[in-house]
């Protein structure tokens, strides 16, 4: 009898040892997988940042080339090579195209103004039309496949730019870029919000993406100007096409869009029409449109105004926007740090940014020389950085607490907000200046931003909303069905432990959480509560 009991105890100890070893191995494998997931999301952030950088560089790199195409269409002796005849007021003896050209090249004829305005607006117009469809598609198929498709379309658009021979081909390439941007930009930002689900990591990641957007817009004109002047018009586009191809290959290597069913356990996102009528999301979308109107409307008009009002030279016009890159990056950095320390004041950072934009817009017409005009333009870009960096993470948070945590449609709405401003700017701004005047345009834009800033008070209580037990959380409570769900559960447990008050046990926290889940219906999953 004693021998039998000893044998049973030995078998029990052996079973416990095997179970402990299996659990330890499972934990080691899970830890390795979580480490790989963190490295993977950093690589995905790199892919998205490169895609946004390329999109904005392609948006601006055609600036030095457009005047030659228009002149060739006229057949009026315009330059068709890398450089045009030197102007009388040039002291450097070079061409009249600055290596840092204006955002929108001035034209001599009214028909040319229309052609250039329509060319620059065509990208935003197509984005405006495609974004409702792209957001819905992203919610259904995931983020990686639309991002890859957008990169492929951008690659084709860049090659079309390289070999374009007339205005019609340029227009087709520009519109094709808008189609690619509607997928790549929206899917990329949504992918960042999905992979960086915790704060302040999400704000830092989105801030990095915004810095890449700014750098691409400001670096493209000198990049295009230098290569166009010394290597020909095709070289800038071929370089961008090569980088775009490499970015797509990196995405395929990091996370193949068609592999392993990344969306297998993810819920269906909230339809875009429901997000559009959400009052909080509508307030954020309106702020994004309003704060970008001064930049979108000044870009096509400020060059001619500087030449007429202060006799600015070509290099001064070309350098107008370059210093604004630094306050934009500073604004991103400041907002990320403030959001990490005081996350409940995101609405205030946005409102402060809109007030700065409004005041800076009103100061532009009062400037009398190049040095003075730099100051309000830097103020505008600093304010835009505050608004974008504060409100883009707020959109993801609103989806988390009021809807389902799938981000394609909500960032399609953000892209629509930007596209409205940049579709109207190249076409409408010149007409407003012609009929009302440059000063009235700036005063109107400044007043609009100042008046909209108090509307962001509506977002003051957003930070007090509790994340509802959405469909995604309920699915995860049912038990992990794959590595993605397992990692998400472990990350959530880690966050819960770090936030648990001292003295509260894990069992109590788990019981409380399960009690909170009791009685939650499907309709409650899209509602919110206040602390």
């Amino acid at each position: 009898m004693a021998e039998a009991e000893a044998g049973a105890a030995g078998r029990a100890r052996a079973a416990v040892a095997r179970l402990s070893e299996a659990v330890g191995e499972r934990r080691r494998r899970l830890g390795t997988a979580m480490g790989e997931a963190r490295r993977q999301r950093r690589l995905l952030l790199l892919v998205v940042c490169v895609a946004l950088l390329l999109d904005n560089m392609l948006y601006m790199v055609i600036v030095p080339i457009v005047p030659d195409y228009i002149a060739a269409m006229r057949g009026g002796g315009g330059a068709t090579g890398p450089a045009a005849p030197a102007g009388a007021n040039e002291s450097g003896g070079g061409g009249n195209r600055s290596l840092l050209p204006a955002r929108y090249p001035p034209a001599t004829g009214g028909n040319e103004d229309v052609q250039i305005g329509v060319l620059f607006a065509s990208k935003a117009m197509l984005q405006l039309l495609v974004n409702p469809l792209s957001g819905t598609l992203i919610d259904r198929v995931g983020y990686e496949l639309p991002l890859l498709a957008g990169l492929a379309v951008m690659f084709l658009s860049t090659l079309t730019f390289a070999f374009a021979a007339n205005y019609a081909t340029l227009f087709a390439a520009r519109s094709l870029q808008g189609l690619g941007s509607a997928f790549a930009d929206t899917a990329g930002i949504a992918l960042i919000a999905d992979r960086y689900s915790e704060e302040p990591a999400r704000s830092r990641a989105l801030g990095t993406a915004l810095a890449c957007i700014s750098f691409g817009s400001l670096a493209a004109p000198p990049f295009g100007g230098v290569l166009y002047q010394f290597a020909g018009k095709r070289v800038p586009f071929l370089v961008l096409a090569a980088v775009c191809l490499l970015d797509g290959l990196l995405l395929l290597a990091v996370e193949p869009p068609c592999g392993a069913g990344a969306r297998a356990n993810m819920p269906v996102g909230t339809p875009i029409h429901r997000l559009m009528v959400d009052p909080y999301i509508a307030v954020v979308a309106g702020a994004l449109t309003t704060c970008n109107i001064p930049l979108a409307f000044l870009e096509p008009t400020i060059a001619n105004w500087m030449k007429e009002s202060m006799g600015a030279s070509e290099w001064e016009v070309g350098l107008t926007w370059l210093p604004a890159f630094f306050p934009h990056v500073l604004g991103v950095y400041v907002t990320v740090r403030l959001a990490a320390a005081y996350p409940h004041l995101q609405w205030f950072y946005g409102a402060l940014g809109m007030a700065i934009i409004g005041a800076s817009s009103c100061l532009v017409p009062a400037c009398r020389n190049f040095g003075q005009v730099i100051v309000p333009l830097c103020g505008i870009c600093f304010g835009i950085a505050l608004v974008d960096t504060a409100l883009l993470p707020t959109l993801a948070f609103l989806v988390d607490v009021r809807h389902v945590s799938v981000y394609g449609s909500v960032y399609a709405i953000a892209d629509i907000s930007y596209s409205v401003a940049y579709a109207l700017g190249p076409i409408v701004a010149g007409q407003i200046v012609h009929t009302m005047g440059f000063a009235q345009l700036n005063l109107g834009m400044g007043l609009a931003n100042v008046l909209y800033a108090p509307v962001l008070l509506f977002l003051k209580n957003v930070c007090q909303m509790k994340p509802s037990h959405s469909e995604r959380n309920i699915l995860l409570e049912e038990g992990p069905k794959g590595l993605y769900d397992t990692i998400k559960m472990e990350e959530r447990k880690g966050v819960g432990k770090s936030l648990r008050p001292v003295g509260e046990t894990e069992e109590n926290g788990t019981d409380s959480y399960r009690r909170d889940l009791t009685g939650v219906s499907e309709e409650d999953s899209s509602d919110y509560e206040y602390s």
Side-chain angles (χ1 to χ4, degrees):
M1 188 61 134
E3 293 179 356
E5 292 179 355
R11 287 193 297 271
R13 284 194 296 270
V16 170
R18 287 195 299 270
L19 179 61
S20 176
E21 183 179 352
V23 171
E25 178 64 21
R26 174 69 173 174
R27 292 180 64 87
R28 284 193 296 271
R29 291 176 55 189
L30 184 59
T32 302
M34 291 181 65
E36 292 176 353
R38 293 189 183 96
R39 288 194 294 270
Q40 184 189 51
R41 76 177 187 176
R42 285 196 291 266
L43 288 174
L44 287 173
L45 176 61
L46 175 63
V47 170
V48 173
C49 287
V50 172
L52 296 173
L53 178 72
L54 286 171
D55 182 39
N56 285 273
M57 289 192 72
L58 184 59
Y59 181 75
M60 295 311 308
V61 80
I62 70 168
V63 170
I65 303 172
V66 169
D68 284 350
Y69 275 112
I70 302 300
M73 288 175 58
R74 288 204 327 267
T80 58
N89 61 348
E90 289 290 329
S91 60
N96 63 358
R97 182 189 301 105
S98 171
L99 295 183
L100 295 172
R103 297 294 295 253
Y104 292 86
T108 56
N111 187 44
E112 293 175 14
D113 285 325
V114 174
Q115 290 174 334
I116 292 175
V118 171
L119 179 65
F120 275 87
S122 60
K123 174 185 180 290
M125 287 180 175
L126 196 61
Q127 269 183 272
L128 193 60
L129 296 175
V130 175
N131 265 315
L133 302 177
S134 67
T136 302
L137 180 65
I138 291 167
D139 283 348
R140 292 184 178 274
V141 305
Y143 310 110
E144 294 83 3
L145 185 59
L147 176 57
L148 182 64
L151 287 172
V153 174
M154 287 169 57
F155 175 74
L156 180 60
S157 170
T158 309
L159 290 181
T160 306
F161 271 119
F163 297 98
N166 50 50
Y167 179 84
T169 312
L170 275 178
F171 183 84
R174 190 69 159 182
S175 301
L176 194 61
Q177 185 198 354
L179 177 63
S181 299
F183 286 93
D185 293 3
T186 304
I189 296 294
L191 179 61
I192 292 176
D194 180 73
R195 294 307 174 92
Y196 291 85
S197 57
E198 69 283 355
E199 290 290 351
R202 176 182 280 172
S203 293
R204 284 198 301 266
L206 290 173
T208 302
L210 290 173
C212 289
I213 292 174
S214 175
F215 180 75
S217 299
L218 295 169
F223 168 82
V226 171
L227 289 183
Y228 179 43
Q229 182 160 0
F230 296 106
K233 74 178 184 67
R234 292 180 179 176
V235 175
F237 301 109
L238 294 178
V239 171
L240 293 179
V243 177
C244 187
L245 179 61
L246 292 175
D247 196 41
L249 294 176
L250 179 60
L251 175 61
L252 287 173
V254 173
E255 184 161 332
C258 300
R263 290 277 299 169
N265 298 321
M266 297 297 291
V268 177
T270 306
I272 192 170
H273 65 272
R274 285 185 56 191
L275 296 178
M276 284 182 171
V277 298
D278 186 305
Y280 295 96
I281 294 176
V283 168
V284 174
L288 293 177
T289 300
T290 305
C291 77
N292 279 276
I293 283 178
L295 187 61
F297 280 52
L298 279 176
E299 284 175 341
T301 57
I302 195 169
N304 288 335
W305 172 77
M306 288 177 65
K307 290 183 177 181
E308 293 173 0
S309 64
M310 61 185 68
S313 61
E314 288 291 333
W315 73 267
E316 289 176 329
V317 172
L319 283 173
T320 300
W321 294 100
L322 187 60
F325 168 74
F326 301 100
H328 186 276
V329 174
L330 177 63
V332 170
Y333 176 78
V334 169
T335 309
V336 168
R337 296 300 298 268
L338 289 175
Y342 309 100
H344 59 287
L345 294 177
Q346 294 275 44
W347 65 273
F348 176 74
Y349 309 142
L352 178 62
M354 298 197 76
I356 293 174
I357 294 170
S360 300
S361 298
C362 295
L363 289 177
V364 171
C367 298
R368 293 294 176 262
N369 56 58
F370 172 73
Q372 292 178 359
V373 80
I374 292 296
V375 176
L377 294 183
C378 288
I380 290 175
C381 290
F382 180 79
I384 290 175
L386 292 181
V387 177
D388 288 348
T389 311
L391 297 187
L392 284 180
T394 301
L395 284 175
F397 180 77
L398 287 170
V399 170
D400 289 336
V401 299
R402 292 174 59 82
H403 304 280
V404 180
S405 298
V406 181
Y407 308 100
S409 292
V410 74
Y411 283 112
I413 293 174
D415 208 19
I416 290 171
S417 303
Y418 294 127
S419 298
V420 168
Y422 286 95
L424 294 176
I427 299 176
V428 176
Q431 186 64 29
I432 295 177
V433 171
H434 179 71
T435 56
M436 301 177 60
F438 185 80
Q440 286 73 17
L441 171 68
N442 282 269
L443 291 175
M445 296 187 300
L447 183 63
N449 275 272
V450 171
L451 292 178
Y452 199 95
V455 178
L456 293 182
L457 279 168
F458 189 64
L459 304 176
K460 184 177 181 180
N461 292 327
V462 164
C463 63
Q464 299 176 7
M465 296 180 184
K466 292 181 180 178
S468 63
H469 301 302
S470 66
E471 180 182 352
R472 180 175 182 175
N473 289 334
I474 294 173
L475 286 174
L476 292 181
E477 283 301 315
E478 292 174 352
K481 298 189 177 84
L483 179 61
Y484 179 84
D485 286 353
T486 304
I487 294 172
K488 282 295 181 184
M489 289 186 68
E490 290 295 324
E491 287 180 345
R492 190 174 63 186
K493 289 177 182 177
V495 173
K497 291 177 181 178
S498 64
L499 296 178
R500 186 177 296 117
V502 176
E504 184 178 342
T505 63
E506 183 174 355
E507 290 79 12
N508 291 338
T510 304
D511 293 341
S512 175
Y513 185 78
R514 287 175 179 169
R515 284 196 300 271
D516 288 343
L517 261 177
T518 305
V520 175
S521 65
E522 291 184 1
E523 293 180 357
D524 294 333
S525 66
S526 63
D527 293 332
Y528 61 92
E529 303 175 10
Y530 286 101
S531 300

